[in-house]
Each structure stands twice: as structure tokens, then as C-alpha cells.
């Protein structure tokens, strides 16, 4: 099969195409995105709004606000790619893998990378760099943009390490691509980073801030965690808050537990969608009680 690479000036266009091809709340299996971009456009057209996010994901020491980073799984991988291409231009081993079988087996619903392979091939007859990346799952409305900027930063890094190319032909393949507007990009909601003491002080001094934290946590999440909700419930009971708040919080905890169990059985099902919606609505309702009582 001959691949037709669509010419783009910025990686932003790849994200836009994917969002147009996959309707909101829809998904596609064996999804392929083939694009080509000049080195000049690649170097100069960064995705500025996600530049910092992409750098965090590439960090070899995982930042506190992420469940994991790509860098911690690929340690030394990008250096290997540049070394391989500089030592043997036609190498088929200029790649890094973020994951191996032991990371997958028995992982259940624990967070693991979706970005699994990054490979570069230099055409021996031209100055084209072929880049192939594989995702086991890919969220196109927000996470794809971060992935694209991370790929761009990889290629800038390679160019700075004397890997010479004039054009990039990028092939993105995803086992399943989905369009989930509002999904957090595997970042921990801020409330999940707070200690019980900090939650208690916030509850006493500025309860309206709790509303914003709960609104954020109500966004669709890939990882279900309810420890912070349990800590907040203990705080509410300590300060004798209204029973309505406590009831809503307990409901959010119960729904989170059910959702976690169902997600372990299958990531995509009607029941998972129903529980995700119920959790979102419960947290949003609870959030408003911190303003309206």
C-alpha cells in the first residue's frame, strides 16, 4: 500500500483533522494519520499552549501532577535514536519503546503509557526522515496535541544532535482513537494532590475554593481515584457540614468505586458511560453546594 502523506505547515492541522474525522464521543479502530511537514515549519511552529505539558510528559523524573511520564519509561531512548542515526544512517533500530510485556500483563486499569513506540528512519536517497509512532489508545481532542508537541520536541532534539533532514513524513497509528471532549490528559486533579490538613484549612477559611476543585475533578478522567473524596468527607464530618454535602460526597465515592470496577472489565461500555456521567453530575452538584449551601 502506498501511503499518501498530507502536506501541513503546522502539527495543529493534524489535531484538527483528527477531531473532524472522529465525532465527539466517537472512536475509530486501527486509526492512521499520515502527514508530512518541512523541517523549517517543524522547528518554528510549536504548539505553544501545550509546550510545557509536552515537556512535562517527556521528563525522565515524573512531575508530581502526573500519574507517570513518558520519559520515565523511555530513559535514554531519545539519545539512543540520535546515536543510532548518526552512527548508521540506514539503521532499523533507531527507536525507543515506552513499555514492555511485564508492564502490560496484569496491569488491570492502572495507568500505563498509551504512546508506546517512536521510530525514525532516514531515507538513504533523500533528506526525508520517516517517523512512525504507535499508540495503543489515543484521545484526539486534547491529548493528541500534547503528543504532537512532544514528537516535535523529539525531532528538534534530534536535529540539534546532528541528525540532518529537510522533511519529515510522520505516520501516527492508534489501535483505538477516541474523541472525548473535556477529558483530562492523565493529570492528577489538584484536589488529589492536597493533604487532609490542607483540605480542612480550605474548608474552614475559603470553602468556595472547594467548588473549583470539585468542578475540575468532575471532568472526564482516564484514572478513577476517590481517596481525596474520602479525605474531604472526613473533613466535612469534622466541621459538622450539612448532611446534603456529606450525602452527595458519599454518592460520588460509591459511584467512583463502581466505575473503577466496571473499567477493570472494559474501558468502553454503556455502563461505563452511564457511571462516568453520573459521577460528573454528582460532583458538579456537590460543587454548587459549596456556594449555595
Amino acid at each position: 500500500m502506498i501511503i499518501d502523506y498530507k502536506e501541513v505547515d503546522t502539527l495543529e492541522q493534524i489535531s484538527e483533522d483528527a477531531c473532524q474525522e472522529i465525532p465527539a464521543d466517537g472512536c475509530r479502530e486501527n486509526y492512521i494519520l499520515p502527514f508530512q511537514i518541512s523541517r523549517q515549519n517543524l522547528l518554528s511552529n510549536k504548539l505553544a499552549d501545550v509546550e510545557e505539558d509536552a515537556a512535562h510528559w517527556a521528563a525522565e523524573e515524573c512531575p508530581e501532577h502526573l500519574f507517570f511520564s513518558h520519559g520515565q519509561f523511555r530513559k535514554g531512548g531519545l539519545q539512543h535514536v540520535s546515536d543510532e542515526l548518526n552512527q548508521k544512517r540506514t539503521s532499523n533500530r533507531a527507536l525507543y519503546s515506552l513499555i514492555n510485556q511485564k508492564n502490560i500483563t496484569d496491569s488491570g486499569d492502572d495507568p500505563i503509557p498509551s504512546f508506546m513506540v517512536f521510530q525514525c528512519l532516514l531515507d538513504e536517497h533523500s533528506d526525508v526522515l520517516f517517523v512512525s509512532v504507535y499508540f495503543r489508545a489515543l484521545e484526539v481532542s486534547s491529548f493528541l496535541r500534547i503528543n504532537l508537541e512532544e514528537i516535535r520536541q523529539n525531532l528538534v532534539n534530534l536535529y540539534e544532535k546532528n541528525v540532518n533532514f529537510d522533511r519529515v513524513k510522520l505516520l501516527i497509528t492508534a489501535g483505538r482513537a477516541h474523541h472525548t471532549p473535556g477529558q483530562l490528559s492523565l493529570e492528577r486533579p489538584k484536589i488529589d494532590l492536597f493533604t487532609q490538613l490542607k483540605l480542612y484549612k480550605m474548608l474552614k477559611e475559603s470553602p468556595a475554593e472547594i467548588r473549583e476543585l470539585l468542578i475540575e475533578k468532575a471532568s472526564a478522567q482516564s484514572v478513577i481515584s476517590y481517596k481525596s473524596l474520602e479525605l474531604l468527607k472526613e473533613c466535612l464530618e469534622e466541621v459538622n457540614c450539612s448532611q446534603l454535602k456529606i450525602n452527595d460526597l458519599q454518592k460520588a465515592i460509591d459511584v467512583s468505586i463502581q466505575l473503577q470496577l466496571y473499567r477493570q472489565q472494559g474501558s468502553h461500555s454503556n455502563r461505563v458511560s452511564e457511571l462516568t456521567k453520573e459521577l460528573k453530575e454528582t460532583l458538579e452538584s456537590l460543587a454548587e453546594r459549596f456556594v449555595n449551601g
Side-chain angles (χ1 to χ4, degrees):
M1 182 181 77
I2 297 175
I3 297 175
D4 183 19
Y5 293 89
K6 180 179 177 179
E7 181 78 30
V8 295
D9 297 324
T10 169
L11 297 182
E12 181 78 59
Q13 292 171 254
I14 303 177
S15 174
E16 291 173 356
D17 276 20
C19 286
Q20 289 173 3
E21 288 183 352
I22 304 175
D25 299 318
C27 68
R28 297 269 286 273
E29 287 74 25
N30 285 349
Y31 188 58
I32 296 175
L33 289 165
F35 290 85
Q36 61 178 317
I37 186 171
S38 70
R39 183 193 70 214
Q40 181 178 355
N41 282 329
L42 186 76
L43 296 180
S44 59
N45 293 329
K46 63 179 68 173
L47 299 181
D49 62 313
V50 293
E51 181 182 11
E52 185 176 7
D53 291 329
H56 287 159
W57 278 101
E60 294 193 352
E61 295 299 325
C62 181
E64 183 185 31
H65 69 286
L66 298 179
F67 288 98
F68 60 85
S69 71
H70 296 151
Q72 76 183 72
F73 283 88
R74 70 161 205 212
K75 283 187 177 179
L78 194 58
Q79 182 63 50
H80 163 75
V81 173
S82 65
D83 290 345
E84 193 73 12
L85 291 175
N86 280 316
Q87 293 168 14
K88 185 181 178 183
R89 182 178 173 86
T90 57
S91 175
N92 294 321
R93 300 188 183 191
L95 63 88
Y96 64 69
S97 173
L98 278 75
I99 203 162
N100 58 37
Q101 191 59 40
K102 71 178 182 179
N103 297 125
I104 302 170
T105 303
D106 299 324
S107 63
D109 203 42
D110 293 338
I112 57 175
S114 285
F115 187 164
M116 301 186 74
V117 176
F118 174 88
Q119 181 176 11
C120 294
L121 294 167
L122 276 169
D123 188 335
E124 60 181 317
H125 303 298
S126 69
D127 290 319
V128 172
L129 179 68
F130 288 89
V131 180
S132 301
V133 296
Y134 176 73
F135 296 86
R136 61 182 179 84
L138 180 64
E139 198 293 305
V140 301
S141 71
S142 58
F143 217 152
L144 174 57
R145 300 185 74 259
I146 297 173
N147 294 140
L148 288 169
E149 175 59 20
E150 183 179 353
I151 291 167
R152 193 196 71 82
Q153 291 178 15
N154 278 356
L155 296 174
V156 171
N157 184 293
L158 292 177
Y159 183 69
E160 291 173 347
K161 293 181 182 297
N162 299 316
V163 177
N164 294 313
F165 55 90
D166 286 330
R167 177 166 297 278
V168 170
K169 290 191 174 183
L170 172 64
L171 180 67
I172 297 173
T173 306
R176 175 182 282 117
H178 61 102
H179 186 169
T180 311
Q183 179 171 308
L184 294 178
S185 302
L186 273 176
E187 294 186 17
R188 298 180 188 272
K190 293 184 183 68
I191 194 171
D192 289 358
L193 300 176
F194 290 173
T195 63
Q196 188 169 27
L197 177 60
K198 189 167 184 177
L199 288 172
Y200 183 80
K201 288 182 65 178
M202 187 176 292
L203 194 59
K204 295 284 286 184
E205 299 170 5
S206 53
E209 291 185 40
I210 299 288
R211 175 186 181 275
E212 301 307 315
L213 295 174
L214 291 171
I215 290 293
E216 181 198 28
K217 190 166 178 63
S219 300
Q221 298 171 54
S222 296
V223 180
I224 305 303
S225 173
Y226 51 88
K227 179 63 176 178
S228 61
L229 301 181
E230 293 177 328
L231 295 179
L232 180 58
K233 180 172 179 281
E234 292 176 10
C235 293
L236 290 176
E237 292 169 340
E238 182 69 23
V239 299
N240 295 316
C241 276
S242 73
Q243 191 61 43
L244 288 174
K245 288 180 183 175
I246 294 174
N247 290 345
D248 273 358
L249 195 46
Q250 185 59 57
K251 181 181 177 182
I253 293 169
D254 293 341
V255 174
S256 296
I257 293 171
Q258 290 183 62
L259 181 55
Q260 193 175 67
L261 290 172
Y262 273 95
R263 282 181 59 88
Q264 289 172 357
Q265 299 168 21
S267 299
H268 304 275
S269 71
N270 290 337
R271 187 56 180 150
V272 167
S273 298
E274 290 168 359
L275 287 170
T276 299
K277 180 180 178 182
E278 184 177 0
L279 178 59
K280 183 177 189 296
E281 291 174 350
T282 301
L283 287 172
E284 289 175 343
S285 173
L286 174 63
E288 294 310 312
R289 294 195 188 282
F290 283 89
V291 176
N292 302 318

